[in-house]
Amino acid sequence: MNWLEILGWIGSAVVVWSLLQTRILRLRVLNFIGCAISVVYALLGSVWPVLGLNLVLCIINIYHLRKLTAQKETERAYKVLTVTPQDAYLQFFLDQHTTDITEALPEFNREDTLNGEATEAHIVLHNDETVGIVVLRDAGAGEARVLLDYVTPRFRDFTPGKYLFRDSGLLHSRGFTSVVAPAPANSQTSKYYSALGFVPEGDTSRLAVAQ
């Protein structure tokens, strides 16, 4: 097998890998990379049908990537609906995503949290689709504690959290000056909150709420 064939196999492997992704933005990025590699392979190997197909796929991916990034970075794309922890729709959403929440956040105790610790809940919407839930406890002195921060797989690209915690102004409007989230060191949770601007503090991370 020569280097050109290896290049072709790499392009095909990346395309297949992209189709295994649950996050649509990551799927599009990886699919574009795989198709671009396949374009180079087809061009050097004079495989014109493969070249044409992957050129078209590259253009399609670029179109959707521009649309996704433009839409996700505008405040018009996201809205937050504040509800009580016992809200009927909140309960329905949690019921529908119980398995995924348990896998992603095994420490979350729904009964104790929603009927005890929680003081407020926020439903994150992307246009008319519910993409996430954030449940908070007012710890006093302007501090909000995150009890649940769940985003559906398709939207796990930081933008819902970025909007709610940093861009929406919601927490400031509710009198909070900082928000603290559980984030054990070197965990995926810690990396997620670091990407949102939280500062590590032992097994938690803290974000100063912008005014």
Side-chain angles (χ1 to χ4, degrees):
M1 183 181 295
N2 60 37
W3 69 269
L4 187 59
E5 290 177 321
I6 293 173
L7 183 67
W9 280 112
I10 290 174
S12 297
V14 175
V15 170
V16 172
W17 185 30
S18 75
L19 298 177
L20 299 176
Q21 306 304 309
T22 56
R23 302 181 191 178
I24 189 66
L25 184 60
R26 181 181 294 177
L27 184 156
R28 287 293 179 187
V29 170
L30 289 174
N31 197 270
F32 171 76
I33 293 172
C35 290
I37 293 173
S38 296
V39 165
V40 175
Y41 159 76
L43 184 63
L44 295 176
S46 300
V47 187
W48 308 123
V50 174
L51 175 65
L53 171 64
N54 283 281
L55 272 176
V56 171
L57 291 176
C58 281
I59 293 171
I60 291 172
N61 279 312
I62 289 171
Y63 168 79
H64 284 289
L65 281 168
R66 290 185 63 182
K67 187 176 179 179
L68 281 169
T69 53
Q71 187 176 38
K72 286 180 178 294
E73 289 301 323
T74 62
E75 290 190 358
R76 289 180 300 173
Y78 288 109
K79 294 178 182 175
V80 179
L81 176 65
T82 299
V83 299
T84 67
Q86 295 78 36
D87 178 77
Y89 178 73
L90 174 67
Q91 302 296 329
F92 169 78
F93 181 84
L94 294 176
D95 286 339
Q96 297 300 304
H97 296 273
T98 296
T99 301
D100 191 40
I101 292 173
T102 300
E103 291 177 355
L105 304 164
E107 70 283 0
F108 175 64
N109 186 311
R110 177 174 171 179
E111 185 67 26
D112 290 348
T113 299
L114 298 182
N115 294 321
E117 299 177 78
T119 55
E120 58 186 79
H122 306 283
I123 300 173
V124 184
L125 305 169
H126 184 269
N127 295 325
D128 60 352
E129 178 182 355
T130 300
V131 302
I133 298 289
V134 174
V135 179
L136 302 174
R137 174 172 66 87
D138 186 345
E143 181 181 287
R145 289 261 172 178
V146 177
L147 303 178
L148 173 65
D149 182 0
Y150 171 76
V151 176
T152 57
R154 197 163 72 88
F155 284 85
R156 288 178 187 164
D157 59 359
F158 305 113
T159 53
K162 178 178 179 290
Y163 176 73
L164 183 122
F165 291 119
R166 291 174 49 189
D167 298 340
S168 69
L170 174 70
L171 297 179
H172 176 258
S173 72
R174 299 186 68 79
F176 294 116
T177 57
S178 66
V179 56
V180 177
N186 300 318
S187 66
Q188 286 298 114
T189 305
S190 177
K191 295 175 183 177
Y192 162 72
Y193 285 113
S194 293
L196 296 182
F198 283 68
V199 178
E201 291 184 352
D203 283 342
T204 63
S205 291
R206 182 184 298 270
L207 177 71
V209 174
Q211 299 185 9

